[in-house]
Amino acid sequence: MKIFKFGGASVKDAESVKNVSMVLQSQGFTKCLLVISAMGKTTNELEKVVELYFKKDNYQTEIEKIKRKHIEIAEGLFPENHAVFAEINVFFDDIDSFLRRNKSPNYSFVYDQVVSCGEMISTKILSEYLNEIQFPNQWLDARDYIKTDNSYREGNVDWTKTEEFISSLNTEICYVTQGFIGSDDNNFTVTLGREGSDYSAAIFAYCLNADAMTIWKDVPGVMTGDPRKFSDVTLLSNISYEEAIELAYYGASVIHPKTLQPLQQKAIPFYVKSFVDPTKEGTKVGASDKNQHEESYILKENQVLLQISTRDFSFIAEDHMSLIFGYLSKYKIKVSLMQNSAISLALCLEDKFNQVDELNDELQKIFKTKAVKNVSLFTVRNAKMDHIDKFYQEKNVLLEQISKNTVQMVTQ
C-alpha cells in the first residue's frame, strides 16, 4: 500500500479538494490510504471555540461560522440534495451538544473532543467527493484504529493495540481517514499533538508495511531553509532518515518530529512532494548513496530562555537536574536547547501549552531563575565553519552552542 498525507492547505476550499483528485490521478489511485488534516485554518478556529467555552462566552456563533464555511466548500463540490450536507450538520450539532453536556473542567480533554471534529468533517467531505467522481474509497474513523493513553493533546500511541487494529485492514482497497487523532481505552478522542497528521500517516505506514509514504505540501519538498524566512534556499532531493530526524528535531516545520522513526524502523521510503506540481521530484528520505549534507537553516520562534541557578552558588548536580526535568515533564514543556555550567543551567524551551509561568513559579521556590520570552532559536545544520562569522551579523545572541557541524544560537 501507499500512504498519502494531505495537510490543511491542500483541502482549504472546493478547488483545493478537486486538486487532490488531480494529484491522485497523476499517482494512480489504487491500494492507497489517504490521511487528511482539517480544512485550512479550521483547527485554529475550533481552538477559539474551546477558549470561548471556558471563558463562558458566546462560542455558538463561532461554531456557526465554521459550519457555514464547510457548507460553502461542499456547495462547490456536490449537488444541493447530497447526503453530505446532513453529515456536516450532524458533526457541528455534536460539537454543540458535547459542550452543553460537558461537566469536565479539564481543558485538554475538552480541547481534544472539540478540535478533532475538523478532521472528521474534512475527511467525510473528501471521501464523499472522491466516491462521487469514481475514485472508490472507504471512510475510516482513525479513532477505531490508533489507540493511545489518556494524555490529552499529546497522546502516546499504544503500538500493540494500534498495530493489531490497523493490520486487519484490507490492503487491496483505498481508504480516507483522519490525521492527528486516536482514542483512549474509554473511546474518548485523544489528539497526537499539533501538526500530528504526519505522525498519523507514519503510524498507518508502519502498521500496514507500506511501500512508501508521501506528504503533499505547498512547497517543492524539504528545502535548505524555509523560503519565507531565508533567501537563496535550495531543494534537498535526497536525505537520510537520520538527517531528516535531526532537521525535524531542530524545528524544520516541513516534517513532524515523530514521523521519521516508525518509517526508519521498517525502511519505508518517505517523500515530500508538492501538490501544486505533483510531477516534480520532491524530496526522498531514506537510505541512498545520493543523500546530501547541505548547509541548512532552521528558525524556531516564540521560544523561552530560562536561566536557572542555585541560591547558594552550589553546583547544579544530578538531583537538581532530575527535579527540573520532572517539572518540565509535568508542564509538557519541551527543551529545544540546553547548556549547563557548574552553577547554572540555561534552557531554551518550547511552551506549546502556555505553562512556562507555572513552571517558573515552581522552580523559584528552590532556585534563582530568569525567564526571557519571545526569543528565537537559530540552527545551522552542516555548517561550513570557515564562514561562521556571517551567522552572527545583526543578531543579539543570548546563548550559543557549537558542535562539530551544527551551530545554534538563542537570539532576541
Side-chain angles (χ1 to χ4, degrees):
M1 273 195 108
K2 296 169 290 189
I3 309 297
F4 293 152
K5 184 263 174 172
F6 290 90
S10 61
V11 288
K12 65 182 179 182
D13 52 32
E15 287 309 308
S16 300
V17 172
K18 290 175 184 176
N19 185 63
V20 169
S21 71
M22 300 299 289
V23 171
L24 295 174
Q25 208 160 27
S26 74
Q27 302 299 303
F29 188 63
T30 56
K31 296 184 184 179
C32 67
L33 181 142
L34 311 187
V35 175
I36 311 296
S37 298
M39 293 176 149
K41 301 294 183 185
T42 301
T43 300
N44 294 346
E45 291 159 359
L46 287 168
E47 285 178 336
K48 187 178 176 184
V49 169
V50 178
E51 285 173 24
L52 291 169
Y53 170 77
F54 276 96
K55 288 176 181 174
K56 302 194 184 323
D57 207 337
N58 179 15
Y59 62 84
Q60 288 95 342
T61 300
E62 192 65 25
I63 292 174
E64 199 57 38
K65 276 164 50 180
I66 304 167
K67 180 167 103 171
R68 185 67 243 158
K69 271 190 195 175
H70 284 80
I71 287 173
E72 285 170 6
I73 292 171
E75 285 172 345
L77 299 169
F78 301 98
E80 62 181 32
N81 61 346
H82 197 279
V84 75
F85 293 100
E87 299 255 23
I88 294 169
N89 281 318
V90 167
F91 280 123
F92 283 100
D93 288 346
D94 283 348
I95 297 172
D96 188 49
S97 174
F98 166 75
L99 290 174
R100 281 190 282 104
R101 291 192 327 268
N102 175 62
K103 301 296 180 191
S104 174
N106 183 336
Y107 190 99
S108 294
F109 168 75
V110 174
Y111 176 101
D112 279 5
Q113 310 320 302
V114 172
V115 172
S116 57
C117 291
E119 277 70 17
M120 302 300 290
I121 299 161
S122 66
T123 52
K124 183 59 73 172
I125 290 172
L126 180 66
S127 175
E128 292 284 355
Y129 175 71
L130 292 176
N131 278 321
E132 188 86 356
I133 62 167
Q134 308 307 308
F135 276 155
N137 71 92
Q138 185 175 322
W139 181 85
L140 292 184
D141 187 334
R143 297 171 299 185
D144 294 335
Y145 295 89
I146 296 180
K147 305 305 288 187
T148 71
D149 63 6
N150 62 356
S151 299
Y152 299 110
R153 296 180 76 181
E154 200 80 34
N156 297 299
V157 174
D158 181 329
W159 283 95
T160 303
K161 288 181 181 176
T162 297
E163 191 163 11
E164 179 189 340
F165 291 134
I166 292 177
S167 62
S168 68
L169 291 171
N170 178 359
T171 55
E172 297 298 313
I173 64 175
C174 294
Y175 299 96
V176 173
T177 194
Q178 308 79 37
F180 181 52
I181 64 173
S183 68
D184 63 17
D185 286 341
N186 294 313
N187 291 320
F188 288 119
T189 306
V190 180
T191 63
L192 304 177
R194 275 295 244 143
E195 311 300 332
S197 292
D198 292 3
Y199 185 36
S200 297
I203 293 167
F204 277 102
Y206 177 91
C207 295
L208 289 168
N209 296 305
D211 289 340
M213 171 177 148
T214 305
I215 291 179
W216 296 94
K217 311 279 284 186
D218 55 359
V219 292
V222 179
M223 312 290 285
T224 54
D226 186 336
R228 294 166 298 186
K229 297 173 182 175
F230 301 100
S231 56
D232 302 321
V233 296
T234 57
L235 176 71
L236 293 165
S237 56
N238 288 270
I239 55 175
S240 65
Y241 292 113
E242 292 81 5
E243 184 67 16
I245 288 168
E246 293 283 359
L247 290 171
Y249 175 78
Y250 289 130
S253 60
V254 76
I255 305 171
H256 188 272
K258 291 180 181 176
T259 302
L260 281 305
Q261 286 157 335
L263 302 175
Q264 184 185 25
Q265 282 184 39
K266 290 194 176 178
I268 297 169
F270 170 46
Y271 298 89
V272 181
K273 300 183 74 171
S274 169
F275 62 74
V276 179
D277 188 351
T279 61
K280 288 279 179 69
E281 176 185 11
T283 299
K284 179 184 178 182
V285 179
S288 170
D289 55 6
K290 298 178 182 177
N291 284 340
Q292 300 159 278
H293 295 88
E294 301 294 325
E295 189 171 82
S296 302
Y297 315 101
I298 304 151
L299 188 66
K300 273 180 101 169
E301 297 173 306
N302 302 314
Q303 303 285 292
V304 179
L305 179 62
L306 186 63
Q307 293 166 312
I308 305 166
S309 59
T310 55
R311 291 190 178 277
D312 58 0
F313 296 103
S314 61
F315 292 162
I316 292 277
E318 288 80 2
D319 56 341
H320 295 131
M321 298 281 273
S322 177
L323 183 66
I324 291 164
F325 275 82
Y327 283 132
L328 289 166
S329 176
K330 175 182 174 181
Y331 290 107
K332 297 184 178 179
I333 294 173
K334 305 290 185 189
V335 178
S336 302
L337 177 70
M338 66 177 286
Q339 190 176 96
N340 68 299
S341 68
I343 60 171
S344 69
L345 175 67
L347 300 172
C348 181
L349 304 173
E350 184 173 4
D351 180 26
K352 289 193 290 187
F353 302 135
N354 299 313
Q355 299 196 94
V356 78
D357 290 335
E358 287 91 334
L359 168 70
N360 201 19
D361 288 344
E362 293 259 31
L363 292 175
Q364 282 181 345
K365 295 172 186 174
I366 306 162
F367 304 98
K368 286 195 293 186
T369 69
K370 180 185 176 185
V372 184
K373 296 183 179 179
N374 298 317
V375 300
S376 297
L377 176 61
F378 175 53
T379 301
V380 184
R381 177 80 179 150
N382 301 312
K384 296 181 174 70
M385 295 302 179
D386 55 348
H387 61 228
I388 194 171
D389 290 349
K390 74 175 186 178
F391 301 130
Y392 293 86
Q393 293 170 12
E394 300 177 10
K395 290 185 177 71
N396 177 22
V397 179
L398 306 178
L399 184 73
E400 64 178 316
Q401 195 159 283
I402 301 174
S403 64
K404 182 180 177 183
N405 66 349
T406 302
V407 176
Q408 291 189 281
M409 57 185 78
V410 178
T411 65
Q412 195 175 34

